Amino acid sequence: MKFKFAPSLSRAFKSHRKISKLIETALKPPRSGPPPVHFGLEETTAFGSNPGRLVMKSYVPARLQKDPALVVMLHGCRQTPESLDAASGFSKLAKERGFVLLYPQQRKANNAQGCFNWFRPSAVARDRGELLSIKQMIEHARKRHRIDRTRIFIGGLSAGGAMTAALVAVYPDLFAGAAIFAGMPYGSARDAMSALRAMKSGVVEPAGGWGRSVTALSSNAKSWPAVTIWHGTYDRTVHPINAVASVRQWLEVHGIGGASGRLQEKPWGRLQSWKVGGTVQVAYYSVNDLGHGVPVKSGAASKLNRANDPFVRPSGISAPMELMRLWGLKRL
């Protein structure tokens, strides 16, 4: 006996298969290569209730600054803290500059692609899910290593960039600075299907503007961290139009008019920056010919390490070094 599905159900199955295929294509696994070289990342198991069931990994140099800074980096889909760290060199910078480095890690049990679930309302709600797990990691590291509360910085790539936006939106007083690499504006999706559509084509600006999505969450925020948005002009996984939406979001949050910015043509692309009181509060790094990933200068990370993480890409600008400058993380 043969079964025939109703036309609407058949279309739904075909749509589901198409979406699954698009996700697999967009998130191709890293190319194989020699084992990555990086400073050892240690796992911490007892850091809190961990409702998001994430893994805490960190690198703590033997020599720290007095009242050290904390840098939190969130990996993208199909990445690991080890692959991102080896290719970007953040742990090397931590050793040179005496700050603590924290890498929250997603579990495959939570997301088959290893993505942070930035598009699930339950994962990014205040004091719930993955957001709370990451906050607990930060608080654990802060107490254990006597971190300077005014020097906690966060950055993330792709799903990690979108999760960075969510953390800053929900806990703005926790961070002094943030970097969103190939990410998404907060509030741009509510499930996996809408997330995929937004990544590929962008999303219609919500009523009241992108900033309202953030300020409505944290109406009592005393301050907002400086935010930099990074995106490659050749990104085929997350459309660059999403970077423009992110810029609008954080300009509105900071109460800055878009026309007040400064545009600079650079050898690697374009830099637009907006200052308040002489300090850059929002900046947009549009990197020429860069695909989906974090830009790193060719000489700043070895080819051996980049072969293990294709989402850290050679460029004319080194994002890790630029963040050291922006965040005031100087050599010991």
Side-chain angles (χ1 to χ4, degrees), residues 203-330:
V203 67
V204 177
E205 185 171 343
W210 282 112
R212 187 175 180 180
S213 301
V214 175
T215 55
L217 279 176
S218 303
S219 58
N220 296 323
K222 297 178 181 178
S223 62
W224 295 95
V227 177
T228 58
I229 292 95
W230 301 70
H231 220 106
T233 60
Y234 198 68
D235 194 328
R236 297 296 181 265
T237 301
V238 177
H239 196 292
I241 196 171
N242 291 296
V244 176
S246 290
V247 170
R248 288 177 180 170
Q249 182 163 73
W250 295 104
L251 285 176
E252 290 174 18
V253 167
H254 281 277
I256 304 173
S260 65
R262 179 190 182 192
L263 174 62
Q264 297 172 275
E265 297 292 342
K266 300 285 187 178
W268 47 262
R270 309 179 87 190
L271 171 61
Q272 290 178 276
S273 55
W274 292 263
K275 292 184 177 181
V276 175
T279 302
V280 173
Q281 294 298 325
V282 179
Y284 176 27
Y285 292 74
S286 178
V287 186
N288 287 343
D289 303 320
L290 180 73
H292 189 64
V294 175
V296 176
K297 273 193 173 181
S298 298
S302 71
K303 293 181 180 179
L304 181 149
N305 288 344
R306 282 204 306 271
N308 289 276
D309 195 324
F311 305 117
V312 177
R313 297 174 176 267
S315 176
I317 182 173
S318 170
M321 289 302 299
E322 179 71 353
L323 293 181
M324 296 300 102
R325 183 186 70 82
L326 292 171
W327 294 345
L329 300 174
K330 300 178 180 179

Side-chain angles (χ1 to χ4, degrees), residues 18-29:
K18 183 179 179 181
I19 290 169
S20 298
K21 186 175 181 180
L22 285 171
I23 291 174
E24 290 294 331
T25 301
L27 302 173
K28 291 181 180 179

Side-chain angles (χ1 to χ4, degrees), residues 83-151:
S83 70
L84 173 57
D85 186 70
S88 64
F90 271 108
S91 59
K92 183 175 183 291
L93 294 171
K95 183 178 181 181
E96 293 174 350
R97 296 158 194 267
F99 62 83
V100 176
L101 181 61
L102 169 62
Y103 280 105
Q105 182 175 6
Q106 181 61 285
R107 295 179 186 271
K108 290 294 182 69
N110 295 338
N111 185 293
Q113 306 295 336
C115 313
F116 290 104
N117 291 305
W118 61 273
F119 48 83
R120 291 182 182 170
S122 61
V124 296
R126 185 185 302 275
D127 296 338
R128 291 181 61 192
E130 293 176 18
L131 233 60
L132 180 55
S133 290
I134 296 171
K135 183 186 179 187
Q136 288 176 344
M137 294 180 199
I138 293 171
E139 290 297 332
H140 178 85
R142 184 187 64 78
K143 293 176 182 177
R144 183 174 182 181
H145 303 292
R146 299 181 180 180
I147 299 296
D148 183 346
R149 277 183 172 273
T150 67
R151 293 204 300 157

